Amino acid sequence: MKDRQWLVELLPADLEACNSAEGFLQSGYWGSFKARFGWNARSFEAVWKTGNDGAGTRRSLLVIRHRLGPFISFAYVPWGPELPPDFPVDDKARNAALEELAAALRLYLPGNTAFIRFDPPWYTEGAGTPPPRLGEPFIHAAADVQAPDTVIVNLGDSRDAILGRMKNKWRYNSKLALKRGVVIRCPDEEGLDIFYSLLKETAKRDHILIHSLSYYKTLFSHTREYSKKTSEPGAPAAPALHLYTAEYEDETLAAIIVLFRGREAVYLYGASSNSKRNLMSPYALQLRAMMDARDSGCLEYDLFGIPPSEDPHHPMAGLYRFKTGFGGRIIHRPGSWDFTCRPMAMELFRFMESLRKKIRDFKKRKKAEPDDVN
């Protein structure tokens, strides 16, 4: 196992080649979006050898790079690499393959690259199950970029089957919201101003960082433009972005932004008002988005982030309860891991990143709201 070569070749490719990726964070669509905000997006084809017949399997790879300072940068591989389906389900094999990839990728990066950060997409499943772990030469990042733990709801069944996997209270609350007069709408881009107003309220309440309004507006316009460009016959499924709102008596109580892409739908952003929380509008919002995604051909709905376990003392314990109640699979990814290129620059960045995380965590613990849902 140790002496096995997994990576046969790493070849530069057009950014559109990444649209064959399973996860949206590895797609050319996402790479071109991040490029609008100062990231340098590059794509490759990695040729992986898994069998004994000498044949290799090609998988696309998106790498985005950003400056940390005037003379230093880092590279980031979000939810990558995507290994072939028949790759061994073995931490040692995957760690070795990732090490080979990092070494090969380093040759294509500028000399001022401090480190390469990976968010591997492989996972374990089930509440309480430990996540996959990487070993040397990788170092667990001081702060994860993407939430390693999430809930994925199966949309491949009938509406009744999807509802049947939910907890009783979740089905009841979804119906209760509508019965009490909550109206679910899908205004998409037209609802961004009210969404952002709610998002600022949510950020203040939960001590979370948010983007500027222009970021979300650009995400919608980019998705619309990209969908037109990639909607040709035979092309991968074009992404679609939707904004849903829950309204009651001319007041918007909650809003969510959901991405539909191929077999997956992903709940990207959510915001809610501090008032009328007893109307249970987030339950009805999520159910509507799930059913629309199912009707659009999506097979999975990713609720995109939960705490690692059911810990009542965790500042986001309410989020865990809310998302796991929809009856999906709980999965655990490794999180963010770094491959060192320039040790001194990397250590300075890790110190600053760790300090920022400690400050954010302290604020969340201080103002934790046990009943909060996203």
Side-chain angles (χ1 to χ4, degrees):
M1 181 79 71
K2 184 178 179 180
D3 298 327
R4 177 86 182 260
Q5 180 183 358
W6 299 103
L7 181 67
V8 179
E9 220 173 355
L10 185 66
L11 305 168
D14 293 334
L15 195 58
E16 287 71 23
C18 288
N19 285 328
S20 62
E22 295 175 7
F24 81 98
L25 289 174
Q26 269 293 297
S27 68
Y29 152 72
W30 192 252
S32 58
F33 170 67
K34 298 301 287 185
R36 293 191 172 198
F37 291 90
W39 291 79
N40 176 276
R42 296 192 62 181
S43 59
F44 300 87
E45 280 195 342
V47 184
W48 301 99
K49 183 178 179 182
T50 57
N52 296 317
D53 56 0
T57 302
R58 292 175 180 260
R59 300 301 300 265
S60 64
L61 179 76
L62 174 69
V63 182
I64 56 177
R65 187 169 50 83
H66 202 275
R67 290 199 330 168
L68 295 173
F71 306 106
I72 201 74
S73 66
F74 81 104
Y76 177 44
V77 183
W79 278 5
E82 293 183 353
L83 297 172
D86 59 342
F87 198 89
V89 183
D90 178 274
D91 284 348
K92 290 183 179 180
R94 291 186 296 206
N95 195 87
L98 197 62
E99 183 178 354
E100 290 179 25
L101 176 62
L105 186 58
R106 186 177 182 179
L107 300 177
Y108 287 97
L109 298 173
N112 69 353
T113 304
F115 60 93
I116 307 170
R117 176 162 293 182
F118 293 91
D119 263 313
W122 45 82
Y123 59 87
T124 57
E125 187 174 329
T129 305
R133 288 192 62 83
L134 277 65
E136 294 182 355
F138 299 97
I139 304 171
H140 202 172
D144 292 314
V145 180
Q146 310 298 334
D149 312 281
T150 190
V151 178
I152 298 180
V153 176
N154 177 16
L155 301 180
D157 292 325
S158 67
R159 177 187 176 93
D160 288 343
I162 295 170
L163 288 169
R165 286 192 290 267
M166 296 181 184
K167 292 181 179 179
N168 290 336
K169 186 179 178 181
W170 271 242
R171 292 194 299 271
Y172 175 79
N173 285 345
S174 299
K175 296 177 182 178
L176 181 65
L178 302 179
K179 186 177 180 180
R180 288 180 173 176
V182 173
V183 177
I184 307 300
R185 303 189 190 279
C186 187
D188 292 340
E189 288 178 85
E190 294 180 4
L192 277 173
D193 287 333
I194 187 63
F195 164 79
Y196 197 70
S197 177
L198 287 174
L199 188 61
K200 289 190 292 185
E201 189 174 339
T202 303
K204 183 178 180 180
R205 182 181 68 232
D206 296 342
H207 295 282
I208 59 175
L209 301 175
I210 61 174
H211 299 287
S212 65
L213 176 58
S214 63
Y215 181 92
Y216 303 99
K217 287 185 175 181
T218 303
L219 178 58
F220 268 90
S221 62
H222 175 76
T223 305
R224 184 179 64 253
E225 295 163 7
Y226 206 88
S227 295
K228 290 180 181 178
K229 187 171 64 174
T230 58
S231 58
E232 301 174 358
L241 199 64
H242 297 292
L243 189 154
Y244 294 90
T245 59
E247 302 172 9
Y248 178 77
E249 296 182 348
D250 297 324
E251 180 184 359
T252 303
L253 302 180
I256 61 175
I257 294 177
V258 183
L259 174 70
F260 296 179
R261 179 183 173 271
R263 62 175 283 117
E264 70 171 355
V266 185
Y267 164 38
L268 294 179
Y269 308 105
S272 60
S273 170
N274 292 329
S275 67
K276 299 182 177 65
R277 297 168 73 83
N278 62 309
L279 293 179
M280 307 299 176
S281 55
Y283 295 85
L285 266 179
Q286 292 292 347
L287 183 58
R288 165 68 182 276
M290 288 179 194
M291 294 307 165
D292 282 1
R294 175 186 174 275
D295 293 343
S296 297
C298 297
L299 300 178
E300 295 182 339
Y301 187 94
D302 190 343
L303 283 153
F304 212 52
I306 57 171
S309 63
E310 190 175 9
D311 178 3
H313 302 293
H314 193 283
M316 302 300 285
L319 192 69
Y320 184 97
R321 291 194 299 271
F322 175 67
K323 291 187 176 182
T324 56
F326 286 100
R329 298 179 293 126
I330 298 174
I331 70 169
H332 310 280
R333 297 189 181 97
S336 300
W337 291 76
D338 297 335
F339 178 85
T340 304
C341 298
R342 298 185 64 179
M344 290 183 64
M346 178 179 172
E347 286 305 313
L348 177 60
F349 176 80
R350 284 177 60 84
F351 172 78
M352 298 302 297
E353 186 176 46
S354 178
L355 182 61
R356 288 196 301 269
K357 183 177 186 300
K358 287 178 181 178
I359 293 172
R360 288 199 303 268
D361 290 347
F362 173 76
K363 290 180 177 179
K364 286 182 180 179
R365 286 194 299 269
K366 189 176 180 181
K367 296 291 185 180
E369 292 187 8
D371 295 327
D372 181 44
V373 295
N374 202 12

